[in-house]
Every structure is written in structure tokens, then in C-alpha cells.
Amino acid sequence: MIPGGAQEEHVDATEILVPLVAEATVRIHGVEAGNPFLGSGFFVAPNWVLTCAHVVLAEGEEPVEAAARRVSVGYGEKLLKGVVEWAEPAARAVTGNWPAPDLALIRLLDHVDHPCVWLTERTAKAYSTNQVVYFGWVAGEGQVVPYNGHCTVSGQLGVGSGGILRLSNDDEMPQGMSGGPVVDLVRGEVIGVLKARRPARDGGLAVAIQQLRRLPADPGPAGDLYHRVMTAHDLHHADRHRLVPNHEFTWTDAHSEIGAATGRALTPGQRTHLLGMLAQLPPPAGTRGLLDVVTEVRGSPAQGLPLAPRAWRDGLGLLYDLRRGTVELEAVLRYAVLAAIADRADGAEEQVERALTDWARQTAAAAESLNRMFRNSLDTQSRARLRARRLISPVALSVPAGAAAAPRPRAEAQLEIIPRGWEPGRYDWRVCVVPENGEVDCVEEDFHGTGLADLPRRLAEPLAEAFRRCDEPGYVAALQLAVPGALVAFAADGWYLGTGARALGAARPMAVRRTDPPPDEDPDLAEERHGRWRTLHHRPPAPVVLDCDEAAENPVPAEEELRALPRETLPVLCRSGPAAPEALHRLTRSGYAVALWRREPVAAEHVCADFHRGTVRTVRDARTAAGLPGALARLRAAVADGVPEAYWSSGLTLLYDDPTRPLPGSDELLETP
């Protein structure tokens, strides 16, 4: 009963989950004329779609290499370009069937914001008879329409979660549903991918989601594909739980509404937060090491696993079949600590490890069911493992190993753009070479006014000549884009200077310099600017996002506050794209010569935690400010290559205005020709 004597309303999981799943279920189309409808799929992570191999490859008989088959993905009214990144099997069997796993991952080439389903992290040895709902699209009466139905998991073909799920025939499964998600209505998570209907027999078949662990383990240039997708999935949901835009109803909210965590160790919010923290760790050193951690936590090996766990989320899922209550909570917290301090090939960010161990200790302290001995054991175990890893050492405040105290001056190209105030939309320009001694060597200039659309074509040859003069074996010269403050968002990095050429900003390092910086009338401010520049090139920069708290816009601090920040501060602007000229002018007046900002405007409801994480990671990998131009060039190349993990950096721009090498020619007055 609830106050007033009314009966408590029964929660219908279908009503809560169906809108979330339907919104993330997409259509798969061919790219040929008419974009024929092929089947269904669903978003599993930002820019990643999961479907069946036979949906995207059925028309081809030959094995398809990764990134060889293009498809279109129907999302709302849009048809998005995509490429088949992985499919197994790569072709139909000689029997005419598509054997397990019959899965394919599509990487979107068009970057759009979209929802994602929640994928189970459990490694179930058997599936219960919980009711499930399946989703997809079907063709009928000249159009493709969404469809869903109910059934139960009636059995499995094969052993454990590595097999194929048999679905009951409670509802019809029309043609076109293949590739759609199958959702457990009790736990509120996707457990499989609809594979086939069984004509004149019982229901249909679905592929268990754990079959994704068959993804190739070869790291590849962008990293292990399984970890890329699962990391993006868990961070997507953690970000939306932590930074809900416009009161959006999230999967974590749905788990709370349907009681998915009833009796479990963690609340839905704690589970989402933990998965997000685990996703920020480097992958386990290997499956053997991951299973050793799980065994240490459980007290015995996990038995009967048809597909071994590969990610930290998979290991967490192996703890869910322990006895509920205190035992499960102790296991989860100990697992979190062991994951944070585990041996790994690639080092983790110290703050990520610390955040995870702090969370485990704080959660343990707040749990009345856990005794002091267990809480103390978490600290003891953490310190012992850290000593074993020899991570307890003074923090180095000097230049990182291998980084030069000051980069050797190299020849660079310079493009100066001068707007014609009396002719809006037309520009004068000058292309120069700036050799090591800093003296300007003009390659070509034009003061007759060139239209914006004509600039790439007109500048192609002068810039090519400048690059020829600057480039050396093993060295690609940077391009200084010199513009007045009002043009700091000038997007020359997206220019294509020749047929088949990469975008300018993806082909070489680029940075923005101002031709009209505010004068250093105050000697103290001039010294501050030089001091900050030296610090950023001798010590690791500390990126600080000034205008955003990952979910909402904040005003850029006043000059007095900016000047009070430590000298190693690297300003980052996330939501100031439209106001970049004013914001960067304030930074420049406050003594900053290096800054990162996002050129494009950001929608108020957009969650930008990926941008914040990405800038921290990029600055860390650059080691000092000298590495930032090259780091941005690599990011732009990754975006151009369609690497989803780099999409956060679209429009990322660098102000890099060396006060020790004043802009050559910036103090020369232009003469009227």
C-alpha cells in the first residue's frame, strides 16, 4: 500500500525498456542504388553497430576482409555510411547455413550522437526462462517499419553461453528481424542477437552476446577491437548516468525502476559507475592474468566457461553467481582493488587507479555489513601489490625521460591570412618559409583578394613549395596558421590541396598564431608569458577545462583568476567555440601562449566527458607542449581514417604562439600594391 490507501502500481518492465531499446535499433541497407533493406542491427557503443554476419555479407560469396564491405545504417530519417569492421564467418558455409557466431560489427563513418543499448557483462552458464523481448525492422507495404515481440529462452544449442539460444514461438519473427537485439526483461540488458526464425518449427535462434569475445585479439593500429567497443560502451553509460542531459531517462534509471539489482551487492548506479571506472583501465595483461584475479577473489576457479573473459567487465560478471549479500559485495570490492593495481603491459593513469581504489574503500566504509578487518584488508592488499609493482616512488617533476628540455628549432611553413575588411568573404594571403634562424622567406603572396572557397586551390602550389623547402627525411614540417584574433576558428586544417591528398591538418602538424596579439605593455605580464611557455616545455602540462563541467557551460574565469593558476596549466576550452576569439583573447592577455579548444559549437544537452578524457590523454601522451602539434595531427588523421575513438577530437584546435620567436613579418605594414 502507498499513502492514501491506493494500491502500489505494478512496474511493467516492457513499458520501461522498450523505448530505450527501440531508439537504439537501426536498419541495415545496401549501398547500391535504392539502398535495399538487408536487416536489423543496434548501437552497442558510440559509432558501433552490432548485427549478424549474414545480414551484411549474404550477397557476397567470397570472404570479406575487414573494412572492405560498405553498408548504410538507417537511423531515424538518416542513412549513415558504415563499413564492416569484422564479421565471422566471412562467408556462407558450403551447407548454405551461417554457422556461429554469425556476428558483424559495423563502424560508422558518419559521426552522429545516438543512444546505445546495455550489453550484459554476465558470463551465464545457462539462461533462465525469463521473458525476453526482441526488436528489429521489417519491410511491408513499401516501407520499413519497427517491430518487436515477446518470447522466452527455451534452451540452447551448444554448451553454455558460447552456444546459440533457442527462442520460443510466442510471437512471430518476420523477415528482416535478423541482427536485432534480444533483451532480458528481468535484468534489463541485451543478452543476444536475433539470428534466424525456424519455419514450421519452434520460434527462432539468437546468438549469445558473449560471442563477441571471438573478436580477434590482434591489437591492430587502433587497439584490440573488443576492448575498444566495450570500453566505449561502458563509458557511454557511465557518462550518461553521471551527467544526465535534460533529465534524460537512462538505462541505469531503467534498472532501478524494474528492480534489476534487487538483492544484489551494488545498486544500479554503483554498478554503472564501477564499470565506467574499470573501462578507463588498460586491458588486463591477458586472459590468464584476468582469470587469476577472478580466482583470487572467488577463492576457486570459475568452471565451465565456454568463452573466456577478456575485459575487466567480463571478470566482474563472473562474480554475480556467488552467494548474494555480504559475500558478493566483498568479492566485488576486492576485485575492484585488484583490477586497479594489477600488473599490465601498459601503465594506467595514476588518478584512474586511485579513483577506483578510493571508491572501493569508501563503499566498504559505508557498508554496515562489512567488518573492520575486511576494510583494513583492502588497504593492506593495495599497498602490498603497489610495492610489488615498485610504483611507490617520488613523483618526478622534471622533464619526462626522453623528452628534450627545449625542442631544436626546425624550419616551418607559415600561412598568413588577412581578411579584406572592405570585401567580406575575400582574403589576402602570404606563404612563407621560416628557417631555423627565424628569418622570413616569402614563397608567394597575393593581395588582390581570394574568395574563401578558392583558397585551397589557389594555395595548393605555394604551400607545396613551402613544404618541399622545409621537410626533411623523417621530419614533416609544421604549418603555422597566422590569423588575426577574429579568425582563430579559420578551418584550414580541413583543406584538401590535391586529388587523393589527405586533409591538410591530418597530413602535418598545424597550430594557430595570432597576427594581432595584445601588446605586452606590462613587463611582469611579458615575463609571465615567457615563464609559462618555458614551464610547459620543461614539465608535463596540466590540462584544465575552463568553461565546462562535462555537462554544462561555465563562464571562462576572469583574467585575475587565470593569472593565479599554476604555470604548468594548459587551458582547454570545451564549449566556447562560438566565442573562441573573445575567450582566447582573455587567455592571451592573462599570459597564456598555448591553449586547446573545440572549434564547433556544442549542444546544451551534449555530454562531453569523452572530450575531457581525450584532452587529458592527448596532453599526457604529448609529454610536453612541444608534442601537441604532432599529437593533434595524429588525431586528425585518425578521424579521417574513421577511428571512432578519435571522433571526440573533431574540431580540436591548438593555439601555439611562441613568445620566444615572434611571428615573422607580423610587425611589417602591408603596402598597397
Side-chain angles (χ1 to χ4, degrees), residues 42-67:
F42 53 102
F43 291 120
V44 292
N47 306 295
W48 290 102
V49 173
L50 181 61
T51 184
C52 286
H54 77 262
V55 170
V56 294
L57 303 181
E59 298 302 317
E61 298 300 328
E62 296 298 323
V64 175
E65 296 295 331

mmCIF file of all heavy atoms in Angstrom, residues 42-67:
data_model
loop_
_atom_site.group_PDB
_atom_site.id
_atom_site.type_symbol
_atom_site.label_atom_id
_atom_site.label_comp_id
_atom_site.label_asym_id
_atom_site.label_seq_id
_atom_site.Cartn_x
_atom_site.Cartn_y
_atom_site.Cartn_z
ATOM 1 N N PHE A 42 21.850 -2.830 -34.062
ATOM 2 C CA PHE A 42 21.630 -1.924 -32.933
ATOM 3 C C PHE A 42 22.960 -1.331 -32.480
ATOM 4 O O PHE A 42 24.026 -1.932 -32.623
ATOM 5 C CB PHE A 42 20.919 -2.630 -31.774
ATOM 6 C CG PHE A 42 21.564 -3.910 -31.297
ATOM 7 C CD1 PHE A 42 22.334 -3.938 -30.151
ATOM 8 C CD2 PHE A 42 21.364 -5.105 -31.992
ATOM 9 C CE1 PHE A 42 22.908 -5.121 -29.703
ATOM 10 C CE2 PHE A 42 21.925 -6.293 -31.549
ATOM 11 C CZ PHE A 42 22.706 -6.301 -30.403
ATOM 12 N N PHE A 43 22.861 -0.114 -31.934
ATOM 13 C CA PHE A 43 24.042 0.587 -31.430
ATOM 14 C C PHE A 43 24.494 -0.054 -30.121
ATOM 15 O O PHE A 43 23.726 -0.121 -29.151
ATOM 16 C CB PHE A 43 23.725 2.059 -31.182
ATOM 17 C CG PHE A 43 23.491 2.874 -32.419
ATOM 18 C CD1 PHE A 43 22.274 3.517 -32.616
ATOM 19 C CD2 PHE A 43 24.485 3.021 -33.367
ATOM 20 C CE1 PHE A 43 22.058 4.289 -33.746
ATOM 21 C CE2 PHE A 43 24.276 3.788 -34.511
ATOM 22 C CZ PHE A 43 23.060 4.423 -34.702
ATOM 23 N N VAL A 44 25.756 -0.506 -30.092
ATOM 24 C CA VAL A 44 26.304 -1.088 -28.862
ATOM 25 C C VAL A 44 27.296 -0.148 -28.188
ATOM 26 O O VAL A 44 27.612 -0.317 -27.009
ATOM 27 C CB VAL A 44 26.985 -2.446 -29.137
ATOM 28 C CG1 VAL A 44 25.954 -3.486 -29.525
ATOM 29 C CG2 VAL A 44 28.071 -2.329 -30.203
ATOM 30 N N ALA A 45 27.809 0.818 -28.915
ATOM 31 C CA ALA A 45 28.742 1.811 -28.396
ATOM 32 C C ALA A 45 28.715 2.977 -29.379
ATOM 33 O O ALA A 45 28.255 2.814 -30.518
ATOM 34 C CB ALA A 45 30.155 1.226 -28.272
ATOM 35 N N PRO A 46 29.183 4.140 -28.959
ATOM 36 C CA PRO A 46 29.191 5.266 -29.889
ATOM 37 C C PRO A 46 29.910 4.910 -31.191
ATOM 38 O O PRO A 46 31.067 4.499 -31.182
ATOM 39 C CB PRO A 46 29.941 6.352 -29.106
ATOM 40 C CG PRO A 46 29.634 6.038 -27.677
ATOM 41 C CD PRO A 46 29.615 4.535 -27.607
ATOM 42 N N ASN A 47 29.160 5.017 -32.302
ATOM 43 C CA ASN A 47 29.666 4.784 -33.656
ATOM 44 C C ASN A 47 29.907 3.314 -33.988
ATOM 45 O O ASN A 47 30.568 3.009 -34.983
ATOM 46 C CB ASN A 47 30.954 5.587 -33.906
ATOM 47 C CG ASN A 47 30.778 7.051 -33.607
ATOM 48 O OD1 ASN A 47 30.013 7.732 -34.280
ATOM 49 N ND2 ASN A 47 31.456 7.544 -32.581
ATOM 50 N N TRP A 48 29.344 2.405 -33.201
ATOM 51 C CA TRP A 48 29.479 0.978 -33.467
ATOM 52 C C TRP A 48 28.094 0.334 -33.495
ATOM 53 O O TRP A 48 27.288 0.538 -32.578
ATOM 54 C CB TRP A 48 30.328 0.280 -32.407
ATOM 55 C CG TRP A 48 31.779 0.641 -32.450
ATOM 56 C CD1 TRP A 48 32.431 1.498 -31.630
ATOM 57 C CD2 TRP A 48 32.762 0.153 -33.371
ATOM 58 N NE1 TRP A 48 33.764 1.578 -31.969
ATOM 59 C CE2 TRP A 48 33.990 0.768 -33.044
ATOM 60 C CE3 TRP A 48 32.724 -0.741 -34.441
ATOM 61 C CZ2 TRP A 48 35.164 0.508 -33.746
ATOM 62 C CZ3 TRP A 48 33.906 -0.987 -35.135
ATOM 63 C CH2 TRP A 48 35.097 -0.372 -34.789
ATOM 64 N N VAL A 49 27.841 -0.462 -34.529
ATOM 65 C CA VAL A 49 26.574 -1.181 -34.697
ATOM 66 C C VAL A 49 26.870 -2.675 -34.745
ATOM 67 O O VAL A 49 27.777 -3.120 -35.459
ATOM 68 C CB VAL A 49 25.865 -0.744 -36.001
ATOM 69 C CG1 VAL A 49 24.635 -1.607 -36.270
ATOM 70 C CG2 VAL A 49 25.475 0.728 -35.928
ATOM 71 N N LEU A 50 26.089 -3.444 -33.985
ATOM 72 C CA LEU A 50 26.205 -4.898 -33.992
ATOM 73 C C LEU A 50 25.041 -5.477 -34.788
ATOM 74 O O LEU A 50 23.898 -5.041 -34.636
ATOM 75 C CB LEU A 50 26.193 -5.440 -32.561
ATOM 76 C CG LEU A 50 26.339 -6.958 -32.392
ATOM 77 C CD1 LEU A 50 27.662 -7.453 -32.954
ATOM 78 C CD2 LEU A 50 26.207 -7.337 -30.908
ATOM 79 N N THR A 51 25.325 -6.463 -35.626
ATOM 80 C CA THR A 51 24.296 -7.137 -36.406
ATOM 81 C C THR A 51 24.786 -8.553 -36.686
ATOM 82 O O THR A 51 25.768 -9.014 -36.091
ATOM 83 C CB THR A 51 23.995 -6.365 -37.712
ATOM 84 O OG1 THR A 51 22.913 -6.997 -38.400
ATOM 85 C CG2 THR A 51 25.211 -6.305 -38.618
ATOM 86 N N CYS A 52 24.125 -9.248 -37.583
ATOM 87 C CA CYS A 52 24.554 -10.594 -37.972
ATOM 88 C C CYS A 52 25.440 -10.529 -39.211
ATOM 89 O O CYS A 52 25.245 -9.676 -40.086
ATOM 90 C CB CYS A 52 23.343 -11.474 -38.260
ATOM 91 S SG CYS A 52 22.458 -12.003 -36.789
ATOM 92 N N ALA A 53 26.373 -11.453 -39.291
ATOM 93 C CA ALA A 53 27.247 -11.509 -40.464
ATOM 94 C C ALA A 53 26.434 -11.741 -41.731
ATOM 95 O O ALA A 53 26.705 -11.138 -42.778
ATOM 96 C CB ALA A 53 28.303 -12.596 -40.285
ATOM 97 N N HIS A 54 25.412 -12.592 -41.640
ATOM 98 C CA HIS A 54 24.667 -12.902 -42.861
ATOM 99 C C HIS A 54 23.847 -11.708 -43.347
ATOM 100 O O HIS A 54 23.469 -11.656 -44.520
ATOM 101 C CB HIS A 54 23.778 -14.133 -42.646
ATOM 102 C CG HIS A 54 22.528 -13.875 -41.862
ATOM 103 N ND1 HIS A 54 22.426 -14.147 -40.515
ATOM 104 C CD2 HIS A 54 21.326 -13.382 -42.242
ATOM 105 C CE1 HIS A 54 21.213 -13.833 -40.099
ATOM 106 N NE2 HIS A 54 20.517 -13.370 -41.124
ATOM 107 N N VAL A 55 23.576 -10.750 -42.470
ATOM 108 C CA VAL A 55 22.837 -9.556 -42.887
ATOM 109 C C VAL A 55 23.696 -8.691 -43.811
ATOM 110 O O VAL A 55 23.230 -8.193 -44.840
ATOM 111 C CB VAL A 55 22.378 -8.745 -41.661
ATOM 112 C CG1 VAL A 55 21.838 -7.378 -42.077
ATOM 113 C CG2 VAL A 55 21.320 -9.522 -40.884
ATOM 114 N N VAL A 56 24.964 -8.518 -43.456
ATOM 115 C CA VAL A 56 25.820 -7.603 -44.225
ATOM 116 C C VAL A 56 26.609 -8.309 -45.326
ATOM 117 O O VAL A 56 27.143 -7.638 -46.226
ATOM 118 C CB VAL A 56 26.793 -6.846 -43.297
ATOM 119 C CG1 VAL A 56 26.022 -5.917 -42.380
ATOM 120 C CG2 VAL A 56 27.652 -7.809 -42.482
ATOM 121 N N LEU A 57 26.711 -9.640 -45.260
ATOM 122 C CA LEU A 57 27.564 -10.340 -46.221
ATOM 123 C C LEU A 57 26.808 -11.320 -47.112
ATOM 124 O O LEU A 57 27.425 -11.960 -47.965
ATOM 125 C CB LEU A 57 28.670 -11.114 -45.488
ATOM 126 C CG LEU A 57 29.588 -10.319 -44.559
ATOM 127 C CD1 LEU A 57 30.630 -11.240 -43.935
ATOM 128 C CD2 LEU A 57 30.266 -9.181 -45.313
ATOM 129 N N ALA A 58 25.514 -11.447 -46.938
ATOM 130 C CA ALA A 58 24.782 -12.502 -47.641
ATOM 131 C C ALA A 58 24.890 -12.400 -49.144
ATOM 132 O O ALA A 58 24.840 -13.407 -49.854
ATOM 133 C CB ALA A 58 23.308 -12.486 -47.224
ATOM 134 N N GLU A 59 25.062 -11.186 -49.653
ATOM 135 C CA GLU A 59 25.111 -11.026 -51.108
ATOM 136 C C GLU A 59 26.441 -11.472 -51.696
ATOM 137 O O GLU A 59 26.563 -11.676 -52.886
ATOM 138 C CB GLU A 59 24.859 -9.555 -51.469
ATOM 139 C CG GLU A 59 23.494 -9.052 -51.042
ATOM 140 C CD GLU A 59 22.373 -9.867 -51.635
ATOM 141 O OE1 GLU A 59 22.460 -10.201 -52.834
ATOM 142 O OE2 GLU A 59 21.413 -10.188 -50.910
ATOM 143 N N GLY A 60 27.481 -11.558 -50.852
ATOM 144 C CA GLY A 60 28.796 -11.923 -51.371
ATOM 145 C C GLY A 60 29.135 -13.357 -51.037
ATOM 146 O O GLY A 60 28.796 -13.864 -49.978
ATOM 147 N N GLU A 61 29.778 -14.041 -51.907
ATOM 148 C CA GLU A 61 30.167 -15.428 -51.676
ATOM 149 C C GLU A 61 31.628 -15.552 -51.254
ATOM 150 O O GLU A 61 32.051 -16.557 -50.732
ATOM 151 C CB GLU A 61 29.930 -16.256 -52.947
ATOM 152 C CG GLU A 61 28.470 -16.297 -53.376
ATOM 153 C CD GLU A 61 27.558 -16.909 -52.317
ATOM 154 O OE1 GLU A 61 28.018 -17.796 -51.583
ATOM 155 O OE2 GLU A 61 26.397 -16.485 -52.227
ATOM 156 N N GLU A 62 32.438 -14.509 -51.539
ATOM 157 C CA GLU A 62 33.849 -14.567 -51.201
ATOM 158 C C GLU A 62 34.073 -14.000 -49.802
ATOM 159 O O GLU A 62 33.359 -13.099 -49.364
ATOM 160 C CB GLU A 62 34.677 -13.763 -52.226
ATOM 161 C CG GLU A 62 34.609 -14.330 -53.635
ATOM 162 C CD GLU A 62 35.170 -15.735 -53.715
ATOM 163 O OE1 GLU A 62 36.154 -16.014 -53.013
ATOM 164 O OE2 GLU A 62 34.607 -16.557 -54.462
ATOM 165 N N PRO A 63 35.069 -14.489 -49.060
ATOM 166 C CA PRO A 63 35.384 -13.913 -47.755
ATOM 167 C C PRO A 63 35.676 -12.420 -47.890
ATOM 168 O O PRO A 63 36.284 -11.970 -48.849
ATOM 169 C CB PRO A 63 36.644 -14.693 -47.321
ATOM 170 C CG PRO A 63 36.558 -15.983 -48.080
ATOM 171 C CD PRO A 63 35.930 -15.640 -49.390
ATOM 172 N N VAL A 64 35.234 -11.663 -46.897
ATOM 173 C CA VAL A 64 35.371 -10.212 -46.929
ATOM 174 C C VAL A 64 36.398 -9.774 -45.905
ATOM 175 O O VAL A 64 36.306 -10.118 -44.736
ATOM 176 C CB VAL A 64 34.009 -9.536 -46.641
ATOM 177 C CG1 VAL A 64 34.174 -8.030 -46.562
ATOM 178 C CG2 VAL A 64 33.013 -9.906 -47.731
ATOM 179 N N GLU A 65 37.398 -9.050 -46.356
ATOM 180 C CA GLU A 65 38.390 -8.515 -45.445
ATOM 181 C C GLU A 65 37.775 -7.380 -44.636
ATOM 182 O O GLU A 65 36.797 -6.759 -45.043
ATOM 183 C CB GLU A 65 39.604 -7.994 -46.233
ATOM 184 C CG GLU A 65 40.353 -9.077 -46.991
ATOM 185 C CD GLU A 65 40.999 -10.096 -46.065
ATOM 186 O OE1 GLU A 65 41.349 -9.712 -44.930
ATOM 187 O OE2 GLU A 65 41.136 -11.261 -46.462
ATOM 188 N N ALA A 66 38.373 -7.110 -43.458
ATOM 189 C CA ALA A 66 37.891 -6.007 -42.642
ATOM 190 C C ALA A 66 37.927 -4.713 -43.448
ATOM 191 O O ALA A 66 38.838 -4.467 -44.223
ATOM 192 C CB ALA A 66 38.769 -5.864 -41.390
ATOM 193 N N ALA A 67 36.931 -3.879 -43.234
ATOM 194 C CA ALA A 67 36.806 -2.573 -43.882
ATOM 195 C C ALA A 67 36.647 -2.681 -45.394
ATOM 196 O O ALA A 67 36.951 -1.746 -46.119
ATOM 197 C CB ALA A 67 38.004 -1.678 -43.538
#
